[in-house]
Amino acid sequence: MSSPSPHHQILLLGGTAEARKIAEALAARDDVSAVLSLAGVLSQPPKLALPLRIGGFGGIAGLVQYIQDHGITTVIDATHPYAAQMSAHAVAACDQTGARRLTLWRSPWQSEARDDWTEFDDWPSLIAAIPAGARVFLAAGQDGMSALPPHSDFTVIARALARPNDLPAMVTLIKALPGKTPQEEADLFARHGISHLICKNSGGESSRAKLRAARDLNMPVLMIKRPPPPPPPCYETPELLLAAL
Ligand code: NAP
Protein backbone atom coordinates (compact mmCIF):
# COMPACT_ATOMS: atom_id res chain seq x y z
CA MET A 1 0.00 0.00 0.00
CA SER A 2 1.45 3.44 -0.89
CA SER A 3 1.82 5.99 1.90
CA PRO A 4 -0.62 8.92 1.93
CA SER A 5 0.66 12.10 0.23
CA PRO A 6 1.34 14.96 2.66
CA HIS A 7 -1.36 17.60 3.07
CA HIS A 8 0.94 20.20 4.50
CA GLN A 9 4.42 21.26 3.43
CA ILE A 10 5.59 22.98 6.57
CA LEU A 11 8.46 25.33 7.19
CA LEU A 12 9.10 25.45 10.94
CA LEU A 13 11.12 28.48 12.06
CA GLY A 14 12.86 27.41 15.24
CA GLY A 15 15.43 28.35 17.82
CA THR A 16 13.33 27.69 20.93
CA ALA A 17 12.41 24.77 23.19
CA GLU A 18 8.85 25.00 21.87
CA ALA A 19 10.07 24.65 18.29
CA ARG A 20 11.85 21.41 19.27
CA LYS A 21 8.60 20.16 20.77
CA ILE A 22 6.66 21.07 17.62
CA ALA A 23 9.36 19.42 15.47
CA GLU A 24 8.99 16.14 17.38
CA ALA A 25 5.21 16.25 17.01
CA LEU A 26 5.38 16.98 13.27
CA ALA A 27 7.90 14.20 12.71
CA ALA A 28 5.42 11.73 14.17
CA ARG A 29 2.63 12.70 11.74
CA ASP A 30 2.25 11.18 8.29
CA ASP A 31 -0.02 13.91 6.90
CA VAL A 32 2.73 16.52 6.95
CA SER A 33 6.13 17.03 5.46
CA ALA A 34 8.20 19.54 7.40
CA VAL A 35 11.61 21.12 7.55
CA LEU A 36 13.06 22.88 10.60
CA SER A 37 14.94 26.10 9.96
CA LEU A 38 17.53 27.48 12.38
CA ALA A 39 19.46 30.74 12.21
CA GLY A 40 22.76 28.95 12.86
CA VAL A 41 23.55 30.62 16.18
CA LEU A 42 24.71 27.38 17.85
CA SER A 43 27.73 25.51 16.51
CA GLN A 44 26.04 22.19 17.35
CA PRO A 45 22.37 22.23 16.31
CA PRO A 46 20.09 19.89 18.27
CA LYS A 47 19.49 16.42 16.78
CA LEU A 48 15.83 16.20 15.79
CA ALA A 49 13.73 13.90 13.69
CA LEU A 50 12.97 16.56 11.06
CA PRO A 51 15.16 17.56 8.13
CA LEU A 52 17.13 20.68 9.01
CA ARG A 53 18.16 23.77 7.09
CA ILE A 54 20.49 26.33 8.66
CA GLY A 55 21.07 30.04 8.06
CA GLY A 56 19.13 33.13 7.02
CA PHE A 57 16.93 33.12 3.92
CA GLY A 58 18.15 36.50 2.69
CA GLY A 59 15.39 38.79 3.93
CA ILE A 60 11.72 38.74 2.93
CA ALA A 61 12.51 38.17 -0.75
CA GLY A 62 14.67 35.15 0.10
CA LEU A 63 11.95 33.68 2.31
CA VAL A 64 9.31 34.23 -0.40
CA GLN A 65 11.59 32.41 -2.84
CA TYR A 66 12.12 29.53 -0.40
CA ILE A 67 8.36 29.17 0.17
CA GLN A 68 7.69 29.11 -3.57
CA ASP A 69 10.60 26.80 -4.48
CA HIS A 70 9.65 24.23 -1.82
CA GLY A 71 5.87 24.39 -2.21
CA ILE A 72 5.47 25.46 1.42
CA THR A 73 1.79 25.64 2.39
CA THR A 74 2.28 26.53 6.07
CA VAL A 75 4.90 28.50 7.96
CA ILE A 76 5.09 27.87 11.70
CA ASP A 77 6.93 30.70 13.39
CA ALA A 78 8.23 29.26 16.66
CA THR A 79 11.11 31.69 17.02
CA HIS A 80 11.88 33.47 20.28
CA PRO A 81 9.58 36.42 21.17
CA TYR A 82 12.56 38.78 20.76
CA ALA A 83 13.40 37.45 17.26
CA ALA A 84 11.22 40.24 15.87
CA GLN A 85 12.87 40.51 12.49
CA MET A 86 12.39 36.86 11.57
CA SER A 87 8.77 37.02 12.73
CA ALA A 88 8.10 40.17 10.68
CA HIS A 89 9.65 38.49 7.64
CA ALA A 90 7.41 35.47 8.14
CA VAL A 91 4.32 37.71 8.25
CA ALA A 92 5.33 39.57 5.07
CA ALA A 93 6.36 36.44 3.14
CA CYS A 94 3.14 34.60 4.03
CA ASP A 95 1.10 37.64 2.97
CA GLN A 96 2.92 37.70 -0.36
CA THR A 97 2.73 33.97 -1.11
CA GLY A 98 -0.62 33.07 0.46
CA ALA A 99 1.06 30.48 2.70
CA ARG A 100 -0.71 29.94 6.00
CA ARG A 101 1.13 31.24 9.08
CA LEU A 102 0.83 30.09 12.68
CA THR A 103 2.91 31.91 15.28
CA LEU A 104 3.91 30.71 18.70
CA TRP A 105 3.78 33.60 21.16
CA ARG A 106 4.55 33.06 24.84
CA SER A 107 3.07 35.60 27.20
CA PRO A 108 5.57 37.84 28.98
CA TRP A 109 6.24 37.35 32.68
CA GLN A 110 4.30 39.67 34.99
CA SER A 111 6.02 41.31 37.94
CA GLU A 112 4.73 40.68 41.45
CA ALA A 113 4.77 42.77 44.61
CA ARG A 114 8.36 42.09 45.72
CA ASP A 115 9.89 42.33 42.23
CA ASP A 116 12.08 45.32 41.39
CA TRP A 117 11.96 45.40 37.60
CA THR A 118 12.72 48.35 35.32
CA GLU A 119 12.01 48.07 31.59
CA PHE A 120 14.02 49.82 28.88
CA ASP A 121 13.21 50.45 25.22
CA ASP A 122 16.71 49.73 24.00
CA TRP A 123 20.17 48.56 25.03
CA PRO A 124 21.86 52.01 25.20
CA SER A 125 19.31 53.32 27.72
CA LEU A 126 19.54 50.12 29.78
CA ILE A 127 23.34 50.19 29.86
CA ALA A 128 23.33 53.89 30.81
CA ALA A 129 21.23 53.00 33.88
CA ILE A 130 23.73 50.49 35.32
CA PRO A 131 25.29 52.11 38.41
CA ALA A 132 29.06 52.41 38.76
CA GLY A 133 30.53 49.53 40.72
CA ALA A 134 27.62 47.17 39.94
CA ARG A 135 28.29 43.49 39.31
CA VAL A 136 25.71 42.56 36.73
CA PHE A 137 24.57 39.13 35.64
CA LEU A 138 23.69 39.30 31.95
CA ALA A 139 21.27 36.64 30.78
CA ALA A 140 20.00 38.28 27.61
CA GLY A 141 21.53 36.45 24.65
CA GLN A 142 23.95 37.57 22.02
CA ASP A 143 22.50 41.03 21.37
CA GLY A 144 22.89 41.95 25.06
CA MET A 145 26.57 41.05 24.96
CA SER A 146 27.12 42.86 21.65
CA ALA A 147 25.58 46.01 23.12
CA LEU A 148 28.16 46.25 25.92
CA PRO A 149 30.78 49.00 25.74
CA PRO A 150 34.45 47.93 25.48
CA HIS A 151 35.20 49.47 28.92
CA SER A 152 32.92 50.40 31.80
CA ASP A 153 32.82 51.15 35.51
CA PHE A 154 30.74 48.02 36.20
CA THR A 155 31.53 44.30 35.99
CA VAL A 156 29.67 41.85 33.75
CA ILE A 157 29.23 38.12 34.20
CA ALA A 158 27.28 36.79 31.22
CA ARG A 159 25.63 33.42 30.72
CA ALA A 160 25.18 32.06 27.20
CA LEU A 161 25.28 28.79 25.29
CA ALA A 162 27.87 29.99 22.80
CA ARG A 163 30.70 32.50 22.91
CA PRO A 164 29.92 35.44 20.58
CA ASN A 165 32.73 36.58 18.26
CA ASP A 166 32.53 40.16 19.48
CA LEU A 167 32.52 39.50 23.25
CA PRO A 168 34.08 42.52 25.03
CA ALA A 169 37.21 41.58 27.00
CA MET A 170 35.72 42.84 30.27
CA VAL A 171 33.00 40.13 30.24
CA THR A 172 33.37 36.89 32.18
CA LEU A 173 31.43 34.27 30.22
CA ILE A 174 29.68 31.30 31.81
CA LYS A 175 28.75 28.79 29.13
CA ALA A 176 25.68 27.14 30.59
CA LEU A 177 21.93 26.67 30.36
CA PRO A 178 19.72 28.66 32.76
CA GLY A 179 19.57 27.20 36.27
CA LYS A 180 16.51 25.10 36.97
CA THR A 181 15.65 26.37 40.46
CA PRO A 182 15.69 29.78 42.19
CA GLN A 183 18.13 28.31 44.73
CA GLU A 184 20.53 27.24 41.99
CA GLU A 185 20.39 30.76 40.50
CA ALA A 186 20.72 32.42 43.92
CA ASP A 187 23.83 30.31 44.65
CA LEU A 188 25.34 31.35 41.32
CA PHE A 189 24.59 35.04 42.03
CA ALA A 190 26.18 34.70 45.48
CA ARG A 191 29.32 33.02 44.08
CA HIS A 192 29.84 35.95 41.71
CA GLY A 193 28.74 38.72 44.09
CA ILE A 194 25.99 39.80 41.69
CA SER A 195 24.16 43.05 42.47
CA HIS A 196 21.94 43.45 39.35
CA LEU A 197 20.26 41.10 36.86
CA ILE A 198 19.87 42.05 33.20
CA CYS A 199 17.55 39.96 31.06
CA LYS A 200 14.71 39.90 28.56
CA ASN A 201 11.09 39.29 29.40
CA SER A 202 11.08 35.99 27.53
CA GLY A 203 8.16 34.33 29.30
CA GLY A 204 7.81 30.56 29.76
CA GLU A 205 9.24 28.40 32.51
CA SER A 206 12.67 27.32 31.28
CA SER A 207 14.50 30.53 32.27
CA ARG A 208 12.22 31.93 34.97
CA ALA A 209 14.17 30.73 38.03
CA LYS A 210 16.63 33.65 37.83
CA LEU A 211 13.78 36.14 38.33
CA ARG A 212 12.48 34.26 41.35
CA ALA A 213 16.02 34.30 42.78
CA ALA A 214 16.31 38.04 42.13
CA ARG A 215 13.00 38.57 43.95
CA ASP A 216 14.15 36.52 46.94
CA LEU A 217 17.40 38.53 47.07
CA ASN A 218 15.69 41.95 46.54
CA MET A 219 17.92 42.33 43.50
CA PRO A 220 17.09 45.01 40.90
CA VAL A 221 16.30 43.62 37.44
CA LEU A 222 16.89 45.65 34.27
CA MET A 223 14.89 44.34 31.31
CA ILE A 224 14.70 45.06 27.63
CA LYS A 225 11.07 45.61 26.61
CA ARG A 226 9.40 42.98 24.49
CA PRO A 227 8.74 43.61 20.83
CA PRO A 228 4.99 43.75 20.10
CA PRO A 229 3.37 40.44 19.10
CA PRO A 230 2.99 39.61 15.41
CA PRO A 231 -0.57 39.83 14.02
CA PRO A 232 -2.83 36.86 14.79
CA PRO A 233 -3.05 33.92 14.70
CA CYS A 234 -0.71 33.51 17.68
CA TYR A 235 -0.72 30.55 20.07
CA GLU A 236 0.60 30.44 23.62
CA THR A 237 1.82 26.82 23.62
CA PRO A 238 2.97 24.15 21.13
CA GLU A 239 -0.12 22.12 22.04
CA LEU A 240 -2.52 24.94 21.10
CA LEU A 241 -0.64 25.63 17.88
CA LEU A 242 -0.59 21.97 16.86
CA ALA A 243 -4.30 21.67 17.61
CA ALA A 244 -4.97 24.61 15.27
CA LEU A 245 -2.84 22.99 12.56
P1 NAP B 1 16.09 38.05 14.39
O1 NAP B 1 16.83 39.26 14.82
O2 NAP B 1 14.62 38.13 14.37
O3 NAP B 1 16.57 37.58 12.96
C1 NAP B 1 17.75 38.04 12.32
C2 NAP B 1 17.91 37.23 11.05
O4 NAP B 1 18.37 35.90 11.38
C3 NAP B 1 16.63 37.01 10.27
O5 NAP B 1 16.30 38.12 9.48
C4 NAP B 1 16.99 35.78 9.47
O6 NAP B 1 17.88 36.11 8.41
C5 NAP B 1 17.80 34.99 10.47
N1 NAP B 1 16.98 34.05 11.24
C6 NAP B 1 16.42 34.21 12.48
N2 NAP B 1 15.78 33.10 12.85
C7 NAP B 1 15.92 32.21 11.84
C8 NAP B 1 15.48 30.89 11.64
N3 NAP B 1 14.77 30.22 12.57
N4 NAP B 1 15.79 30.28 10.46
C9 NAP B 1 16.51 30.93 9.50
N5 NAP B 1 16.97 32.19 9.65
C10 NAP B 1 16.68 32.82 10.81
O7 NAP B 1 16.53 36.79 15.27
P2 NAP B 1 17.54 36.72 16.51
O8 NAP B 1 16.95 37.48 17.63
O9 NAP B 1 18.91 37.03 15.98
O10 NAP B 1 17.45 35.17 16.84
C11 NAP B 1 18.13 34.23 16.06
C12 NAP B 1 17.63 32.84 16.45
O11 NAP B 1 17.87 32.61 17.84
C13 NAP B 1 16.14 32.67 16.22
O12 NAP B 1 15.95 31.40 15.64
C14 NAP B 1 15.53 32.73 17.61
O13 NAP B 1 14.40 31.91 17.73
C15 NAP B 1 16.67 32.23 18.49
N6 NAP B 1 16.67 32.86 19.81
C16 NAP B 1 16.67 34.21 19.94
C17 NAP B 1 16.65 34.79 21.20
C18 NAP B 1 16.62 36.29 21.37
O14 NAP B 1 16.61 36.74 22.53
N7 NAP B 1 16.56 37.07 20.31
C19 NAP B 1 16.65 33.97 22.34
C20 NAP B 1 16.66 32.57 22.19
C21 NAP B 1 16.67 32.03 20.92
P3 NAP B 1 17.36 36.44 6.92
O15 NAP B 1 16.77 37.81 6.98
O16 NAP B 1 18.60 36.34 6.11
O17 NAP B 1 16.35 35.39 6.59
Side-chain angles (χ1 to χ4, degrees), residues 13-16 37-39 41 53 55-60 78-80 82-87 89 140-141 143 200:
L13 303 171
T16 57
S37 175
L38 297 176
V41 177
R53 69 160 298 286
F57 296 92
I60 296 169
T79 56
H80 191 268
Y82 283 75
Q85 182 167 302
M86 188 68 252
S87 292
H89 289 183
D143 45 337
K200 294 175 174 169

Short mmCIF file of all heavy atoms in Angstrom, two decimals, residues 13-16 37-39 41 53 55-60 78-80 82-87 89 140-141 143 200, ligand 1:
data_model
loop_
_atom_site.label_atom_id
_atom_site.label_comp_id
_atom_site.label_asym_id
_atom_site.label_seq_id
_atom_site.Cartn_x
_atom_site.Cartn_y
_atom_site.Cartn_z
N LEU A 13 10.04 27.56 11.67
CA LEU A 13 11.12 28.48 12.06
C LEU A 13 11.38 28.28 13.55
O LEU A 13 10.47 28.48 14.37
CB LEU A 13 10.69 29.93 11.79
CG LEU A 13 10.31 30.23 10.34
CD1 LEU A 13 9.70 31.64 10.23
CD2 LEU A 13 11.51 30.10 9.41
N GLY A 14 12.60 27.86 13.87
CA GLY A 14 12.86 27.41 15.24
C GLY A 14 13.83 28.28 16.00
O GLY A 14 13.97 29.47 15.75
N GLY A 15 14.48 27.64 16.96
CA GLY A 15 15.43 28.35 17.82
C GLY A 15 14.94 28.43 19.25
O GLY A 15 15.50 29.18 20.05
N THR A 16 13.90 27.67 19.58
CA THR A 16 13.33 27.69 20.93
C THR A 16 13.01 26.24 21.37
O THR A 16 12.94 25.34 20.52
CB THR A 16 11.99 28.47 20.96
OG1 THR A 16 11.10 27.86 20.01
CG2 THR A 16 12.18 29.93 20.63
N SER A 37 13.94 25.11 10.34
CA SER A 37 14.94 26.10 9.96
C SER A 37 15.51 26.77 11.20
O SER A 37 14.78 27.23 12.07
CB SER A 37 14.28 27.17 9.08
OG SER A 37 15.20 28.19 8.80
N LEU A 38 16.84 26.81 11.26
CA LEU A 38 17.53 27.48 12.38
C LEU A 38 18.43 28.57 11.83
O LEU A 38 18.95 28.47 10.71
CB LEU A 38 18.38 26.47 13.16
CG LEU A 38 17.62 25.34 13.85
CD1 LEU A 38 18.61 24.37 14.50
CD2 LEU A 38 16.65 25.88 14.90
N ALA A 39 18.64 29.60 12.66
CA ALA A 39 19.46 30.74 12.21
C ALA A 39 20.94 30.36 12.11
O ALA A 39 21.70 30.99 11.39
CB ALA A 39 19.28 31.90 13.17
N VAL A 41 22.89 29.96 15.06
CA VAL A 41 23.55 30.62 16.18
C VAL A 41 24.44 29.62 16.93
O VAL A 41 25.55 29.94 17.32
CB VAL A 41 22.49 31.20 17.15
CG1 VAL A 41 23.16 31.83 18.36
CG2 VAL A 41 21.60 32.21 16.43
N ARG A 53 17.41 22.83 7.91
CA ARG A 53 18.16 23.77 7.09
C ARG A 53 18.69 24.86 8.04
O ARG A 53 18.02 25.20 9.01
CB ARG A 53 17.32 24.36 5.94
CG ARG A 53 16.23 25.29 6.41
CD ARG A 53 15.72 26.22 5.37
NE ARG A 53 16.72 27.13 4.85
CZ ARG A 53 17.20 28.18 5.49
NH1 ARG A 53 16.80 28.46 6.72
NH2 ARG A 53 18.09 28.98 4.93
N GLY A 55 20.62 28.74 8.58
CA GLY A 55 21.07 30.04 8.06
C GLY A 55 19.92 30.88 7.56
O GLY A 55 18.82 30.37 7.29
N GLY A 56 20.18 32.20 7.48
CA GLY A 56 19.13 33.13 7.02
C GLY A 56 18.68 32.82 5.59
O GLY A 56 19.40 32.16 4.83
N PHE A 57 17.50 33.34 5.26
CA PHE A 57 16.93 33.12 3.92
C PHE A 57 17.36 34.23 2.96
O PHE A 57 17.21 34.10 1.75
CB PHE A 57 15.40 33.10 4.00
CG PHE A 57 14.86 31.96 4.81
CD1 PHE A 57 14.61 32.12 6.17
CD2 PHE A 57 14.62 30.73 4.23
CE1 PHE A 57 14.13 31.06 6.93
CE2 PHE A 57 14.13 29.67 4.99
CZ PHE A 57 13.89 29.84 6.34
N GLY A 58 17.84 35.34 3.52
CA GLY A 58 18.15 36.50 2.69
C GLY A 58 16.96 37.45 2.65
O GLY A 58 16.48 37.84 1.58
N GLY A 59 16.48 37.80 3.83
CA GLY A 59 15.39 38.79 3.93
C GLY A 59 14.05 38.24 3.46
O GLY A 59 13.90 37.03 3.23
N ILE A 60 13.09 39.16 3.31
CA ILE A 60 11.72 38.74 2.93
C ILE A 60 11.74 38.09 1.55
O ILE A 60 11.12 37.05 1.32
CB ILE A 60 10.78 39.97 2.95
CG1 ILE A 60 10.67 40.52 4.37
CG2 ILE A 60 9.39 39.60 2.41
CD1 ILE A 60 9.99 41.87 4.48
N ALA A 78 8.01 29.59 15.24
CA ALA A 78 8.23 29.26 16.66
C ALA A 78 9.56 29.84 17.10
O ALA A 78 10.30 29.22 17.87
CB ALA A 78 8.17 27.75 16.88
N THR A 79 9.88 31.01 16.59
CA THR A 79 11.11 31.69 17.02
C THR A 79 10.86 32.34 18.39
O THR A 79 9.73 32.43 18.87
CB THR A 79 11.54 32.76 16.00
OG1 THR A 79 10.47 33.67 15.81
CG2 THR A 79 11.93 32.14 14.67
N HIS A 80 11.94 32.83 18.97
CA HIS A 80 11.88 33.47 20.28
C HIS A 80 11.08 34.78 20.18
O HIS A 80 11.13 35.46 19.14
CB HIS A 80 13.32 33.76 20.73
CG HIS A 80 13.46 34.17 22.14
ND1 HIS A 80 13.45 35.49 22.52
CD2 HIS A 80 13.63 33.44 23.28
CE1 HIS A 80 13.61 35.55 23.82
NE2 HIS A 80 13.71 34.32 24.30
N TYR A 82 11.73 37.62 21.09
CA TYR A 82 12.56 38.78 20.76
C TYR A 82 13.17 38.67 19.36
O TYR A 82 13.90 39.58 18.95
CB TYR A 82 13.67 38.97 21.80
CG TYR A 82 13.18 39.60 23.09
CD1 TYR A 82 12.44 38.86 24.00
CD2 TYR A 82 13.43 40.93 23.39
CE1 TYR A 82 11.97 39.41 25.18
CE2 TYR A 82 12.97 41.51 24.57
CZ TYR A 82 12.25 40.74 25.46
OH TYR A 82 11.79 41.30 26.63
N ALA A 83 12.90 37.59 18.65
CA ALA A 83 13.40 37.45 17.26
C ALA A 83 12.41 38.16 16.34
O ALA A 83 11.77 37.56 15.48
CB ALA A 83 13.57 35.98 16.90
N ALA A 84 12.29 39.47 16.52
CA ALA A 84 11.22 40.24 15.87
C ALA A 84 11.40 40.34 14.37
O ALA A 84 10.42 40.39 13.62
CB ALA A 84 11.15 41.64 16.48
N GLN A 85 12.65 40.35 13.93
CA GLN A 85 12.87 40.51 12.49
C GLN A 85 12.41 39.27 11.73
O GLN A 85 11.70 39.37 10.72
CB GLN A 85 14.35 40.78 12.21
CG GLN A 85 14.63 41.01 10.75
CD GLN A 85 16.03 41.57 10.53
OE1 GLN A 85 16.36 42.63 11.07
NE2 GLN A 85 16.83 40.89 9.76
N MET A 86 12.80 38.10 12.25
CA MET A 86 12.39 36.86 11.57
C MET A 86 10.87 36.75 11.55
O MET A 86 10.27 36.36 10.54
CB MET A 86 13.01 35.65 12.28
CG MET A 86 12.82 34.33 11.55
SD MET A 86 13.72 34.20 10.00
CE MET A 86 12.45 34.31 8.79
N SER A 87 10.23 37.11 12.67
CA SER A 87 8.77 37.02 12.73
C SER A 87 8.11 37.99 11.74
O SER A 87 7.13 37.63 11.08
CB SER A 87 8.28 37.32 14.15
OG SER A 87 8.68 36.29 15.02
N HIS A 89 9.43 39.03 8.99
CA HIS A 89 9.65 38.49 7.64
C HIS A 89 8.65 37.37 7.33
O HIS A 89 8.17 37.26 6.20
CB HIS A 89 11.08 37.96 7.51
CG HIS A 89 12.12 39.06 7.50
ND1 HIS A 89 13.45 38.80 7.33
CD2 HIS A 89 12.01 40.39 7.63
CE1 HIS A 89 14.13 39.94 7.36
NE2 HIS A 89 13.27 40.92 7.56
N ALA A 140 20.86 37.63 28.61
CA ALA A 140 20.00 38.28 27.61
C ALA A 140 20.44 37.96 26.19
O ALA A 140 20.09 38.68 25.26
CB ALA A 140 20.01 39.79 27.83
N GLY A 141 21.18 36.88 26.02
CA GLY A 141 21.53 36.45 24.65
C GLY A 141 22.62 37.29 24.02
O GLY A 141 23.22 38.18 24.65
N ASP A 143 22.62 39.58 21.62
CA ASP A 143 22.50 41.03 21.37
C ASP A 143 22.83 41.84 22.63
O ASP A 143 23.39 42.93 22.54
CB ASP A 143 21.14 41.43 20.77
CG ASP A 143 19.97 40.77 21.46
OD1 ASP A 143 20.17 39.71 22.08
OD2 ASP A 143 18.85 41.29 21.36
N LYS A 200 15.88 39.57 29.37
CA LYS A 200 14.71 39.90 28.56
C LYS A 200 13.48 39.35 29.24
O LYS A 200 13.60 38.44 30.07
CB LYS A 200 14.86 39.25 27.18
CG LYS A 200 16.01 39.83 26.39
CD LYS A 200 16.20 39.08 25.09
CE LYS A 200 17.26 39.78 24.26
NZ LYS A 200 17.70 38.97 23.11
P1 NAP B 1 16.09 38.05 14.39
O1 NAP B 1 16.83 39.26 14.82
O2 NAP B 1 14.62 38.13 14.37
O3 NAP B 1 16.57 37.58 12.96
C1 NAP B 1 17.75 38.04 12.32
C2 NAP B 1 17.91 37.23 11.05
O4 NAP B 1 18.37 35.90 11.38
C3 NAP B 1 16.63 37.01 10.27
O5 NAP B 1 16.30 38.12 9.48
C4 NAP B 1 16.99 35.78 9.47
O6 NAP B 1 17.88 36.11 8.41
C5 NAP B 1 17.80 34.99 10.47
N1 NAP B 1 16.98 34.05 11.24
C6 NAP B 1 16.42 34.21 12.48
N2 NAP B 1 15.78 33.10 12.85
C7 NAP B 1 15.92 32.21 11.84
C8 NAP B 1 15.48 30.89 11.64
N3 NAP B 1 14.77 30.22 12.57
N4 NAP B 1 15.79 30.28 10.46
C9 NAP B 1 16.51 30.93 9.50
N5 NAP B 1 16.97 32.19 9.65
C10 NAP B 1 16.68 32.82 10.81
O7 NAP B 1 16.53 36.79 15.27
P2 NAP B 1 17.54 36.72 16.51
O8 NAP B 1 16.95 37.48 17.63
O9 NAP B 1 18.91 37.03 15.98
O10 NAP B 1 17.45 35.17 16.84
C11 NAP B 1 18.13 34.23 16.06
C12 NAP B 1 17.63 32.84 16.45
O11 NAP B 1 17.87 32.61 17.84
C13 NAP B 1 16.14 32.67 16.22
O12 NAP B 1 15.95 31.40 15.64
C14 NAP B 1 15.53 32.73 17.61
O13 NAP B 1 14.40 31.91 17.73
C15 NAP B 1 16.67 32.23 18.49
N6 NAP B 1 16.67 32.86 19.81
C16 NAP B 1 16.67 34.21 19.94
C17 NAP B 1 16.65 34.79 21.20
C18 NAP B 1 16.62 36.29 21.37
O14 NAP B 1 16.61 36.74 22.53
N7 NAP B 1 16.56 37.07 20.31
C19 NAP B 1 16.65 33.97 22.34
C20 NAP B 1 16.66 32.57 22.19
C21 NAP B 1 16.67 32.03 20.92
P3 NAP B 1 17.36 36.44 6.92
O15 NAP B 1 16.77 37.81 6.98
O16 NAP B 1 18.60 36.34 6.11
O17 NAP B 1 16.35 35.39 6.59
#
